[in-house]
Amino acid sequence: MSVKTRAAVAFGLNEPMQIVELDLADPAPGQVMLRMLASGLCHSDLHAMDGKLAQRFPFVPGHEGVGEIIALGQGVTDFAIGEHVIPYLIPECGKCTFCTSGRTNLCVEYRARRNSARSPFSLDGETIAAFMELGTFAEKTVVWADCLVRIPKNAPADHTCCIACGVTTGLGSALIRAKVSPGSSVAVFGAGGVGLSTIEGARLAGAARIIAIDTNPAKEVIARQSGATDFIDPRDIHNIVQHIMEMTGLGVDYAFDCVGHPALARQTLEMTNAAWGVAMCVGVVAEGVEVSVLPTNLYAGRTWTGSLMGGAKRADVRRFVDMYLAGDYSLDHVVSHRLTLDEINRAIEMMKTGESVRSVIVYEG
């Protein structure tokens, strides 16, 4: 028997979300029902709403959440009612070639759920899609157990929800994918939620110099709080690549594009050390848009690569939660606004304008 839940629904491209009451199906075998505690707003949600990512409409956005398990589907034995969990963007089926390889966090189920027609949500008999089959902008949702990360109940939901995506992507990009080395130099385009966490990851890895690059000068203070040693507004620089080369001598050892722009992706590569530099595309580039580089920028040994959720598997997400609880890094300066579900469109506008660093929807009850 289905239950009712309030949710934020995007009914059309570039339209404000509407708060409506939806029917929520019972969990199928292998699924659980969650009562959401908090959900962060991520640019990926915005990209799905504005067409940068292909997405079925109407849909319930949201993928950066923490919830409490309130019902179990048949066959779910690894989790119990009452436990607090993160529904992680990347599942682990444990059976596909990706999962059994031990070489990647990718899973075939990730691709299957990316823009799935399956959804537990409906309105007047019409299916309402759930972003990534998560849909955490709802007071209750149903997700697959193979994507759940068990977390301690004392983990504050308004902070921990950010670890579900932005924090994990940033920390993982620096610590897992790039494997930033102690004493190295790092440049990061974008001081948003992901960029700040990439900076944090570089700091935790022991980087000696971390250069934050952002067009919003208000981000300098928070970037330095996250570990940046330098801050550059690229609008003040004639040639950002040349400037970084002059600052570092031979270029940075690692560079990250956490914005998702083709020009920045290229500059990220060009500003790295020609022999061993590692450039990483972290931010989401619009589907169908190409990035390019001169082959001569690769011949001497540079690496140009990407990062899917920082290369993190579920165990890594739990490790990042434990690191946060241990005080290895803080999210006090990252979570800038806490709002109710009814205020979600305001949160979206603040994300667009850069007024917020990370807004979090906190659910009542």
Side-chain angles (χ1 to χ4, degrees):
M1 178 181 293
S2 65
V3 300
K4 299 287 187 179
T5 185
R6 293 175 75 243
V9 178
F11 283 96
L13 199 64
N14 292 316
E15 293 182 7
M17 285 179 280
Q18 298 180 35
I19 309 301
V20 298
E21 187 175 70
L22 300 178
D23 291 309
L24 180 66
D26 289 337
Q31 294 183 328
V32 304
M33 183 180 290
L34 302 179
R35 177 179 68 85
M36 296 309 301
L37 303 175
S39 183
L41 277 81
C42 176
H43 270 89
S44 295
D45 298 307
L46 178 59
H47 294 336
M49 295 167 62
D50 66 14
K52 192 172 183 179
L53 292 175
Q55 176 60 49
R56 299 172 186 271
F57 284 85
F59 76 108
V60 178
H63 63 283
E64 198 176 74
V66 168
E68 177 186 359
I69 297 175
I70 58 175
L72 301 172
Q74 182 181 352
V76 177
T77 58
D78 294 338
F79 296 92
I81 291 175
E83 288 186 315
H84 288 192
V85 294
I86 288 173
Y88 184 44
L89 196 66
I90 299 184
E92 292 180 46
C93 73
K95 302 174 183 177
C96 71
T97 301
F98 293 127
C99 284
T100 58
S101 71
R103 302 171 61 183
T104 177
N105 64 334
L106 186 60
C107 172
V108 294
E109 283 298 322
Y110 169 79
R111 291 177 169 175
R113 298 173 195 179
R114 166 61 195 89
N115 196 7
S116 173
R118 300 177 301 191
S119 176
F121 298 114
S122 62
L123 177 64
D124 297 329
E126 178 188 1
T127 298
I128 306 293
F131 185 55
M132 291 299 307
E133 293 197 25
L134 297 178
T136 61
F137 290 169
E139 292 175 345
K140 298 183 183 71
T141 188
V142 169
V143 302
W144 295 95
D146 64 8
C147 72
L148 296 180
V149 179
R150 184 182 292 105
I151 64 172
K153 286 190 174 182
N154 68 334
D158 61 339
H159 280 185
T160 310
C161 65
C162 298
I163 302 174
C165 180
V167 172
T168 287
T169 298
L171 291 182
S173 293
L175 298 173
I176 300 173
R177 289 288 293 125
K179 295 182 173 59
V180 171
S181 58
S184 60
S185 56
V186 175
V188 178
F189 274 110
V194 173
L196 292 171
S197 294
T198 304
I199 291 169
E200 196 82 64
R203 178 191 67 80
L204 290 167
R209 191 170 196 181
I210 306 171
I211 305 166
I213 306 168
D214 199 287
T215 57
N216 184 351
K219 295 290 182 70
E220 179 172 1
V221 172
I222 191 171
R224 291 185 181 276
Q225 287 176 326
S226 297
T229 58
D230 302 84
F231 183 89
I232 298 173
D233 183 339
R235 297 173 302 180
D236 299 333
I237 306 299
H238 174 65
N239 186 319
I240 186 65
V241 173
Q242 180 180 339
H243 187 74
I244 294 295
M245 288 293 183
E246 293 172 352
M247 289 178 66
T248 58
L250 294 175
V252 291
D253 299 304
Y254 306 90
F256 302 84
D257 169 23
C258 296
V259 177
H261 190 283
L264 299 187
R266 178 169 179 161
Q267 291 174 341
T268 297
L269 178 71
E270 293 173 342
M271 66 176 54
T272 62
N273 183 292
W276 58 73
V278 176
M280 188 167 293
C281 298
V282 182
V284 177
V285 178
E287 293 189 7
V289 175
E290 295 183 353
V291 296
S292 63
V293 67
L294 294 174
T296 51
N297 283 317
L298 297 169
Y299 288 158
R302 283 182 173 117
T303 299
W304 198 21
T305 187
S307 174
L308 175 63
M309 294 298 293
K313 298 176 76 69
R314 289 190 294 172
D316 297 304
V317 178
R318 175 54 195 260
R319 175 165 63 95
F320 293 155
V321 172
D322 291 341
M323 288 168 60
Y324 163 71
L325 292 175
D328 292 343
Y329 65 93
S330 174
L331 292 173
D332 291 341
H333 57 294
V334 175
V335 179
S336 57
H337 295 78
R338 295 166 181 81
L339 304 99
T340 66
L341 184 62
D342 293 308
E343 299 174 297
I344 196 164
N345 286 313
R346 177 180 167 228
I348 290 290
E349 288 305 312
M350 288 192 294
M351 181 165 56
K352 288 180 179 179
T353 61
E355 178 183 346
S356 63
V357 180
R358 205 61 158 193
S359 293
V360 171
I361 300 301
V362 179
Y363 295 94
E364 299 177 358

